Amino acid sequence: MSVRAFVDEHFHHFNAGVLQRTSSSLSQFLHQDGRMFLTLAGAMSTAEIGRSLAQMIRQGHVAAISCTGANLEEDVFHLVARSHYERIENIDNLSTEDEVNLLERHLNRVTDTCIPEEQAIRNIEHHILALWKKASQEKASRLPHEYLYELLNSGCLEEVYDANPNHSWLLAAAEVNLPLFVPGWEDSTLGNIFAARCTEGIVDTSAVLGGIEYMTRLIEFYRSTTTPLAFLQVGGGIAGDFPICVVPLLNQDLREAVPLWSWFAQITDASASYGGYSGAPPNEKITWGKLGPETPRFNIKSDATIVLPLIFGYVLDL
């Protein structure tokens, strides 16, 4: 039984029902010449979303991605160091001493998965630093993801691949030069490293462009897009809030007439009523000029690490 058949057969009520309706609607949208704008918050790369997302990219369903700096780099970390990752069987039983032990072993914990600093982060640091230095010397400026695209497309990491490259969504994106937007990249391991090297005078701050450049490129992307765009938001935060604002920016601030997002869905476990929700529930986005009253809207209140692979599997009919 395929993922699509399984979901259609068993997912009918509550969040399961919303998942089925979302998946069916998105599948129809994409197979009627629409494309998807995906936003990734959380630790989806470490959760190995590339196993299904890479296929979505290679089959042409993805128009662009907005992600956190962590999701950008952690896909590459996993690509070069998968066998060195350590899994924690029961994180609820971890003591403070256990956490200190992980620190001393240079294992950076993401929920139940530990990223090995030496094999993952330091394994690519000197490669990316060389690109930053070259740009600094040439007085060139590039966006954060463009350095990683160059790194992956150069083939210099192939000899140290430690995971199936078909499972790397960033590698799939680099192959087709997929438009990528990484607001707040500074809040990432490589962003911290870049800031450290700037402080040391090794590279220039101008070598890496920031959020305003990403927004102006997003404006050009949206202006030039000729196909309807589905906005699939995974979690809240800057990864989703940043790109969805391009529509009111164009319509209200630049006074250009552009269509609203054609379809919207969000996967989140946050509740707006607690005050900690970043962004806005689907209906509230209507008041901000991001979605229209007729826009298909879905809100799946569940765990994205479970839901998103099911949605992609449904679309791909795996």
Side-chain angles (χ1 to χ4, degrees), residues 165-180:
N166 290 326
H167 294 165
S168 168
W169 72 262
L170 192 65
L171 183 58
E175 290 168 354
V176 298
N177 196 28
L178 188 77
L180 215 61

Side-chain angles (χ1 to χ4, degrees), residues 76-96:
V76 185
F77 294 164
H78 185 267
L79 181 62
V80 301
R82 183 177 190 274
S83 67
H84 299 279
Y85 278 53
E86 290 194 20
R87 191 70 54 84
I88 306 296
E89 291 298 327
N90 193 336
I91 59 173
D92 293 332
N93 290 338
L94 284 178
S95 66
T96 302

